[in-house]
Amino acid sequence: MVKDRGEALKVLEDWGRSIVDYINKGEEPVMRIPARTLTNIIWDEKRKILVLGPKAIERRFLDLNEAKRFMQTTLMLKLIIQSIKENVYPTIRDLYYNGKHTMELNEPKLSKSFRENTWDEQSESNAVIEDIEVATGVLREEMGVSADVKGKVVGPIVVRSKGFEIDATKMGDTALSLPPNPDELDIVRMDAKYVLVVEKDAIFQRLNREGYWNSEKCLLVTAKGMPDRATRRFVRRLSEDYGLPVYVFTDGDPYGWYIYSVYRSGSIKLSYENERLATPDAKFIGVTASDISKYKISDNYVIKATDRDIKRAQELKKYPWFQSHEWKRELDLFLRTRKKVEIEALSTHGLKFLHEYLLDKIHNNKWIE
Amino acid sequence: MVKDRGEALKVLEDWGRSIVDYINKGEEPVMRIPARTLTNIIWDEKRKILVLGPKAIERRFLDLNEAKRFMQTTLMLKLIIQSIKENVYPTIRDLYYNGKHTMELNEPKLSKSFRENTWDEQSESNAVIEDIEVATGVLREEMGVSADVKGKVVGPIVVRSKGFEIDATKMGDTALSLPPNPDELDIVRMDAKYVLVVEKDAIFQRLNREGYWNSEKCLLVTAKGMPDRATRRFVRRLSEDYGLPVYVFTDGDPYGWYIYSVYRSGSIKLSYENERLATPDAKFIGVTASDISKYKISDNYVIKATDRDIKRAQELKKYPWFQSHEWKRELDLFLRTRKKVEIEALSTHGLKFLHEYLLDKIHNNKWIE
């Protein structure tokens, strides 16, 4: 893991030099890149995360099938290195547009000219960013690539960003919006007993205004639905560096359970990130299928599952991190009853019941994982 | 405008009492509610906002067509008053679930029983919240109803929330996430020369990290796409109370122009909010149709408009606040060329061109309105 953008620059330049070295020696340049194919994604039972296996691909410059992607990778590497040197923080879309141009080759012998775009779609430029991440071990956040930031936090934590200390107990009704690279955030002080990750932003606002974190001495975090990488990394740091229990609170539907799953173990497709972003000890305290009877939520407050919900629940059942006895039982129950429930349905028991529910699940160990 | 939740409570209780008064006098209870129908929405040319006209409806308890909605309105009024007294901050969805229940009437004479839900869909409970807002002049934010918060700010402003002062120049790479009710935010100090509202969160992050607001002495605001009510209200306060110019920076497509339109004048449907949320002096510095040639954005970086884009542009043309010479020309040009451009396409001129573009548009008055 690199400490800052300067260190990231060094790693990226070294990788670039290793490619140039081939040319200087009169050899064909080759990039060695860990394979991100499904067959190279391995479930690490002990650490409870997906990791990349040992397989790697060799991207060869003189291979006609690889030459374009080779060019794209070096072009992207150049753009990222340049952005670090010029102290700009482009988004992946800036990099796509900045690098997109038409190359023209005049071939007088054939009295013909060839035109080819460096890339046509952003999916192409994004893919080579991922290649550079896995090849160098430097995440895009560490390169200083900007992205949407969804995460917010309040509670007993003091952080430092660019020399400024921010005390997240002194935000009133506002909240601290996370930085694009949470690893550059120094944690100066931490007095929290646990982390409560809330799916819904409006529920985060409620709990903040109602003083939940204050009486519970916990951190409240939200990423408003599906978490972005920065929020996942921040939560992971809180779990790993401070040993804080992490509780994820979502709606009682397959989408909410999937959000929990992303915090906990990440996605299969982007398994190379999980090693740094996943929080395998995260516990689920959202609404489960069996909560519908446990918390006496009548049919008046229950929503019929859609075909999409059913399909997603069937997918969740296959994930290695949903193989616990509890999750299997809950997913099976959901597939039988086809009933889902929103967090706010708890308010049928009164506008303050939300607090009772959370305290009961957290302090009486009624979470599942 | 009420000062705090205590004042909101007083206004709401007074309104409730005015309904009870009818009953005490032995009369039929009647609610007088300004009509939110299209025919009662008036374009105020001078203030450049849509406002509600003088028409009002009378909701009568003894009118069979109105009795249910009458019951729903008093039920919602009760829930909101109760939430203020109990110091909880429910979301509109909490209010929906909390108020939803089945009423049962046994009619022994007919040996029959009737069952009726207070409301079946959230659209019904939302509608009576809007009724209470227009009838009492108290916005839901002032009632303490919680909602998703999308807005963030950084730059030379010091605010106070619940007694805590927060200096938005001392956030580093983080940002200040706005409170659900920005009117409860005291502005302690303001040193900004203007407000730059950025559509895209990732561009907000870029500009923050690249020190844009620092060198420009401006506030950077984003609501990540379509603004929520709180962000609109906050921007309006900056414009109204401090006379700050407000520049809105979006993609060059009808959706981006619509986002500008929402900041500027709001939506037609929710025109009763506009009086408090709209910023009629907001200027547009996003990408226009004519910018494609002005800024030499080649076809390689231009996106073909979809049918939906075309339809939206045709709708924009009808809005009273898009009748300026400049906007008419731009919308017509777009409808002819059918080309749209993302902000990031500016990066084809280099990763730093974004700054040149903004400084040129703002300081050389190249905005339109």
Side-chain angles (χ1 to χ4, degrees):
Chain A
M1 217 172 89
V2 298
K3 224 187 69 217
D4 53 30
R5 231 183 166 196
E7 268 189 31
L9 178 65
K10 202 185 159 302
V11 177
L12 294 171
E13 286 189 321
D14 283 349
W15 193 58
R17 250 178 239 114
S18 74
I19 298 159
V20 174
D21 280 348
Y22 287 102
I23 301 168
N24 288 339
K25 286 188 281 179
E27 293 173 14
E28 177 192 7
V30 178
M31 294 170 179
R32 206 185 134 79
I33 300 172
R36 287 181 284 121
T37 48
L38 271 184
T39 54
N40 196 37
I41 293 172
I42 293 167
W43 172 245
D44 185 329
E45 182 61 45
K46 206 172 140 219
R47 296 165 67 205
K48 291 186 282 177
I49 52 174
L50 287 166
V51 292
L52 282 188
K55 279 182 215 156
I57 55 156
E58 297 207 325
R59 185 161 295 156
R60 298 182 164 275
F61 184 61
L62 298 179
D63 180 337
L64 258 181
N65 295 319
E66 291 287 327
K68 185 169 182 182
R69 185 88 177 240
F70 192 104
M71 170 277 294
Q72 290 174 335
T73 315
T74 49
L75 171 61
M76 183 55 80
L77 184 67
K78 187 198 99 172
L79 296 179
I80 292 170
I81 286 175
Q82 188 189 332
S83 73
I84 299 177
K85 287 184 171 170
E86 293 182 0
N87 214 20
V88 287
Y89 293 81
T91 67
I92 53 175
R93 199 163 297 184
D94 283 321
L95 293 167
Y96 160 71
Y97 279 110
N98 188 240
K100 184 177 186 179
H101 59 270
T102 308
M103 293 173 292
E104 203 163 340
L105 175 71
N106 288 305
E107 187 51 86
K109 280 180 201 164
L110 301 169
S111 65
K112 216 173 155 183
S113 77
F114 300 88
R115 292 172 63 87
E116 177 100 17
N117 275 344
T118 49
W119 40 62
D120 289 299
E121 303 289 338
Q122 206 190 319
S123 57
E124 294 175 75
S125 57
N126 287 356
V128 291
I129 294 176
E130 291 175 12
D131 285 341
I132 297 172
E133 288 184 283
V134 292
T136 63
V138 180
L139 292 186
R140 66 187 70 176
E141 288 80 5
E142 295 167 325
M143 302 172 190
V145 174
S146 291
D148 282 6
V149 169
K150 300 178 81 180
K152 302 175 195 176
V153 63
V154 283
I157 186 175
V158 179
V159 295
R160 186 165 43 220
S161 177
K162 284 191 171 166
F164 297 109
E165 278 195 12
I166 304 151
D167 184 340
T169 62
K170 296 184 175 166
M171 306 298 292
D173 281 345
T174 74
L176 180 67
S177 172
L178 293 178
N181 180 11
D183 280 330
E184 281 181 8
L185 202 64
D186 294 321
I187 297 180
V188 178
R189 194 172 157 177
M190 165 65 78
D191 296 319
K193 290 184 182 155
Y194 64 86
V195 182
L196 177 60
V197 177
V198 181
E199 172 188 357
K200 287 179 161 165
D201 191 283
I203 300 291
F204 172 91
Q205 303 297 340
R206 255 198 83 165
L207 292 172
N208 186 22
R209 299 166 105 179
E210 294 170 4
Y212 183 89
W213 61 259
N214 211 347
S215 55
E216 280 291 294
K217 299 272 168 281
C218 70
L219 296 182
L220 274 185
V221 171
T222 187
K224 203 176 173 164
M226 194 54 67
D228 53 343
R229 295 166 49 123
T231 310
R232 292 174 57 203
R233 176 68 194 151
F234 180 67
V235 170
R236 159 65 171 269
R237 277 187 70 191
L238 298 174
S239 162
E240 189 171 54
D241 300 351
Y242 296 90
L244 295 183
V246 171
Y247 302 103
V248 181
F249 180 43
T250 75
D251 277 340
D253 59 35
Y255 188 69
W257 304 329
Y258 181 59
I259 287 174
Y260 160 71
S261 149
V262 169
Y263 278 106
R264 184 184 196 280
S265 307
S267 66
I268 291 174
K269 189 182 157 283
L270 299 176
S271 57
Y272 71 96
E273 312 169 334
N274 297 338
E275 208 151 334
R276 307 264 287 279
L277 306 187
T279 305
D281 290 326
K283 289 156 178 48
F284 182 75
I285 57 158
V287 185
T288 64
S290 63
D291 282 342
I292 294 178
S293 59
K294 264 184 225 152
Y295 288 94
K296 297 184 179 54
I297 299 170
S298 85
D299 273 351
N300 225 349
Y301 312 111
V302 157
I303 302 168
K304 200 173 158 284
T306 63
D307 290 345
R308 213 171 141 186
D309 291 322
I310 300 297
K311 200 168 155 251
R312 196 187 287 274
Q314 282 160 344
E315 280 164 14
L316 294 180
K317 272 190 74 174
K318 292 180 203 147
Y319 291 165
W321 52 91
F322 273 121
Q323 300 309 317
S324 70
H325 176 66
E326 288 78 14
W327 269 116
K328 275 183 173 167
R329 198 186 51 198
E330 291 296 342
L331 290 171
D332 285 337
L333 181 61
F334 169 78
L335 288 168
R336 267 203 314 279
T337 57
R338 300 188 167 220
K339 289 177 180 176
K340 56 182 187 173
V341 182
E342 293 187 293
I343 288 173
E344 294 89 342
L346 298 170
S347 293
T348 59
H349 297 310
L351 290 174
K352 284 181 170 176
F353 184 72
L354 173 64
H355 294 258
E356 280 177 52
Y357 171 94
L358 288 170
L359 299 180
D360 181 41
K361 283 229 166 174
I362 291 170
H363 296 300
N364 299 323
N365 293 341
K366 292 187 177 170
W367 40 265
I368 62 172
E369 65 173 350
Chain B
M1 215 171 90
V2 298
K3 227 188 67 215
D4 53 30
R5 233 184 163 196
E7 270 190 28
L9 177 65
K10 201 185 158 305
V11 177
L12 295 171
E13 285 189 323
D14 283 349
W15 193 59
R17 249 177 240 113
S18 75
I19 297 159
V20 174
D21 280 348
Y22 286 102
I23 300 169
N24 288 338
K25 283 188 282 179
E27 292 172 16
E28 177 192 7
V30 178
M31 295 172 179
R32 208 185 132 80
I33 300 172
R36 287 181 283 123
T37 49
L38 271 183
T39 54
N40 195 36
I41 294 172
I42 294 168
W43 173 244
D44 184 331
E45 183 61 45
K46 209 172 141 222
R47 297 164 67 202
K48 291 186 282 177
I49 51 173
L50 288 167
V51 291
L52 282 189
K55 279 183 216 156
I57 54 157
E58 297 207 326
R59 185 161 296 156
R60 298 184 164 273
F61 183 61
L62 297 179
D63 180 336
L64 258 183
N65 294 320
E66 291 287 326
K68 183 168 183 182
R69 185 85 176 243
F70 192 104
M71 171 277 293
Q72 290 175 334
T73 315
T74 47
L75 171 61
M76 183 56 80
L77 184 66
K78 186 200 100 171
L79 296 180
I80 293 171
I81 286 175
Q82 186 189 334
S83 73
I84 300 177
K85 287 185 171 171
E86 293 183 0
N87 213 21
V88 288
Y89 294 82
T91 68
I92 52 175
R93 199 162 298 184
D94 283 320
L95 293 168
Y96 160 71
Y97 279 110
N98 187 239
K100 185 177 186 179
H101 58 270
T102 307
M103 293 174 294
E104 205 164 337
L105 175 71
N106 288 306
E107 187 50 87
K109 281 182 199 161
L110 301 170
S111 65
K112 215 173 154 184
S113 76
F114 299 88
R115 291 171 64 87
E116 177 99 18
N117 274 344
T118 48
W119 39 63
D120 288 301
E121 303 289 336
Q122 207 190 318
S123 57
E124 294 175 74
S125 56
N126 287 356
V128 290
I129 294 176
E130 290 176 12
D131 286 340
I132 297 172
E133 286 183 284
V134 293
T136 62
V138 180
L139 293 186
R140 65 187 72 175
E141 288 80 5
E142 296 167 326
M143 302 172 191
V145 174
S146 291
D148 281 6
V149 168
K150 299 178 79 180
K152 301 175 194 177
V153 63
V154 283
I157 187 174
V158 179
V159 295
R160 187 167 41 221
S161 178
K162 285 192 173 165
F164 297 109
E165 278 196 11
I166 304 151
D167 184 340
T169 63
K170 297 185 176 168
M171 307 298 292
D173 281 346
T174 74
L176 181 65
S177 173
L178 294 178
N181 179 11
D183 281 330
E184 281 182 6
L185 202 63
D186 294 322
I187 298 182
V188 178
R189 194 172 158 175
M190 165 65 79
D191 296 319
K193 291 184 178 153
Y194 64 86
V195 182
L196 177 58
V197 177
V198 182
E199 173 188 357
K200 286 178 161 167
D201 191 284
I203 301 290
F204 171 91
Q205 304 295 340
R206 253 200 84 167
L207 292 172
N208 186 23
R209 300 165 105 179
E210 293 169 5
Y212 183 89
W213 61 260
N214 211 347
S215 56
E216 280 291 294
K217 300 271 169 281
C218 70
L219 296 182
L220 275 184
V221 172
T222 188
K224 201 172 176 170
M226 193 56 66
D228 53 343
R229 294 166 51 123
T231 310
R232 292 173 58 204
R233 176 68 194 153
F234 180 66
V235 170
R236 158 66 170 269
R237 279 186 69 189
L238 298 173
S239 163
E240 188 171 54
D241 299 350
Y242 296 90
L244 294 183
V246 171
Y247 302 103
V248 181
F249 180 44
T250 74
D251 278 339
D253 58 36
Y255 187 69
W257 305 329
Y258 180 59
I259 287 173
Y260 160 71
S261 149
V262 170
Y263 277 107
R264 187 185 194 280
S265 307
S267 66
I268 290 174
K269 188 184 158 284
L270 298 176
S271 57
Y272 71 96
E273 313 169 331
N274 298 338
E275 208 152 332
R276 308 265 288 279
L277 306 186
T279 306
D281 290 327
K283 291 156 177 48
F284 181 76
I285 58 158
V287 185
T288 64
S290 64
D291 281 343
I292 295 177
S293 58
K294 265 182 223 151
Y295 288 93
K296 297 185 179 57
I297 298 170
S298 85
D299 273 351
N300 225 349
Y301 312 112
V302 158
I303 302 167
K304 201 173 157 285
T306 62
D307 291 344
R308 211 171 143 185
D309 291 321
I310 300 297
K311 198 169 155 252
R312 195 186 287 273
Q314 282 160 345
E315 280 164 14
L316 294 181
K317 272 189 72 174
K318 292 180 204 150
Y319 290 166
W321 53 92
F322 273 121
Q323 300 309 318
S324 70
H325 176 66
E326 288 77 14
W327 268 116
K328 276 183 173 168
R329 199 186 50 198
E330 291 295 343
L331 289 171
D332 285 337
L333 181 61
F334 169 78
L335 288 169
R336 269 201 315 280
T337 57
R338 300 187 165 222
K339 289 175 179 176
K340 57 181 187 174
V341 182
E342 293 187 293
I343 288 173
E344 294 90 341
L346 299 169
S347 294
T348 61
H349 297 310
L351 290 174
K352 284 182 170 176
F353 184 73
L354 172 65
H355 294 258
E356 280 177 50
Y357 171 94
L358 288 170
L359 299 180
D360 182 40
K361 283 229 165 173
I362 290 170
H363 296 299
N364 298 323
N365 293 341
K366 291 186 177 170
W367 40 264
I368 62 173
E369 65 173 351

